Amino acid sequence: MAITVKFFASLSEQLGMREVLVESKDRLTVEEIWEQVTGNREIPAKILIAINMEYARYDDHVSDNDEVAFFPPVTGG
Amino acid sequence: MAITVKFFASLSEQLGMREVLVESKDRLTVEEIWEQVTGNREIPAKILIAINMEYARYDDHVSDNDEVAFFPPVTGG
Amino acid sequence: MKIAIIDKPFAPWQILSEYQQTLKSGCYGGTAVFVGTMRDFNEENEVRGMTLEHYPGMTEKHLEQICLDAIDRWNLVDALIIHRTGDLSPNDPIVLVAAWSAHRKEAFEACRFMIEDLKHTAPFWKKEKTNKGARWVEKNTPY
Amino acid sequence: MKIAIIDKPFAPWQILSEYQQTLKSGCYGGTAVFVGTMRDFNEENEVRGMTLEHYPGMTEKHLEQICLDAIDRWNLVDALIIHRTGDLSPNDPIVLVAAWSAHRKEAFEACRFMIEDLKHTAPFWKKEKTNKGARWVEKNTPY
């Protein structure tokens, strides 16, 4: 299973990553992907998640070729 | 006492008057001015009144050189 | 602050563009604008034209007071009202209301207040030319 | 309907003027517009510039959905959202939201809904360059 993981804004700066390709044999949840990519780092409060550009939750499962994004509260407009 | 009386919009059309100069020895109320100018015609419902371009009431008294206006509900904007 | 009564067609977006250049740069974060435009239908009748009568003097006084009230109540950076009079054709702008504020909430509330106050108190009257003849508009929609 | 993400300064009133010419004449009576502009101060600090990051793809999808929701919910004639990204200077327009409707109530409510939904859900992030250094804006004002 190949998953594209994206980070934005302050979170991207804190982690020093913008985009990571994750490979896995198992079907993972968003939380498991976070743990794998950040080396079990604690998830900062208020971080938002999107799967394939739709808002999602930590316990949602991710499918092959999905794009998962983590980002801080939005501040547009 | 000289009072300028103005009528606007549908009311002006109904009465066939736009502006009338009223002379009076007594100090009149708005209602008395209406009666004098229209020959005791009944006051149509919802007619608004202004004295010197400020909204006023039928029982308000009018002073020399005042301008009194009668008009239907406003429909601007 | 600017108010104007105009008896010829006017271009709302151009007026805003020009007027905004006179404002102090960097001090407003939210601008809320309302433009009322003449439609070609009303209460199921086709409307071909409209005449807008007003009470010269009282109108200007009222529009000015509405701007001053809005600026005072919502602590606006600035406010503007332009209103058309005379003979209008469908698609002609009738009214332009704008509020410049530090934040969006105040801009929206002030803009809404200004158009509602104008519609309820400013001495303008519309006469429509419809496919069934000319008729005075009897009242505005309440909100 | 129009949505756009623009990484260069844009002129809101000119965009409105041009876009409105594509709309069917005579069918809208109320247009409500909001423009968000970059201020030169925020939370008591001087702001010299701003960088607006976004999530390409998700942003467009979201803005489109906001317009469609507003058109559907308030039966609008049309809706438009333009949002700036990249490096901004004070007084640069950030966002333009517009709703065209038969009546003013729907135009105002839809316009307000669109900017609130955008501020709460569209994936944009502001980083301010202040007199105290650069900082990510942590949250928007709630309303």
Side-chain angles (χ1 to χ4, degrees), chain B residues 54-67:
Chain B
E54 298 281 356
Y55 282 104
R57 304 178 344 161
Y58 281 105
D59 54 3
D60 284 338
H61 280 84
V62 177
S63 305
D64 194 24
N65 292 318
D66 276 359
E67 176 171 306

Side-chain angles (χ1 to χ4, degrees), chain D residues 71-126:
Chain D
I71 289 170
D72 182 52
R73 186 161 156 195
W74 284 280
N75 195 22
L76 300 182
V77 172
D78 210 338
L80 169 151
I81 304 178
I82 311 286
H83 204 293
R84 178 71 191 283
T85 57
D87 293 323
L88 283 77
S89 302
N91 221 42
D92 277 3
I94 301 171
V95 62
L96 163 62
V97 173
W100 287 267
S101 178
H103 299 286
R104 71 191 185 282
K105 182 172 188 285
E106 289 74 18
F108 268 111
E109 289 182 1
C111 185
R112 189 76 199 264
F113 161 80
M114 288 196 285
I115 186 67
E116 297 305 331
D117 201 348
L118 186 156
K119 288 209 166 233
H120 287 91
T121 68
F124 293 100
W125 301 275
K126 287 178 183 142

Side-chain angles (χ1 to χ4, degrees), chain A residues 3-4 18 31 40 47 50 61 64 68:
Chain A
I3 310 292
T4 304
R18 287 198 73 79
E31 191 166 11
N40 286 311
I47 290 300
H61 280 84
D64 193 26
V68 178

Side-chain angles (χ1 to χ4, degrees), chain D residues 20-35:
Chain D
Q20 206 172 255
Q21 285 168 30
T22 69
L23 299 184
K24 190 173 161 289
S25 156
C27 63
Y28 55 88
T31 309
V33 173
F34 179 78
V35 178

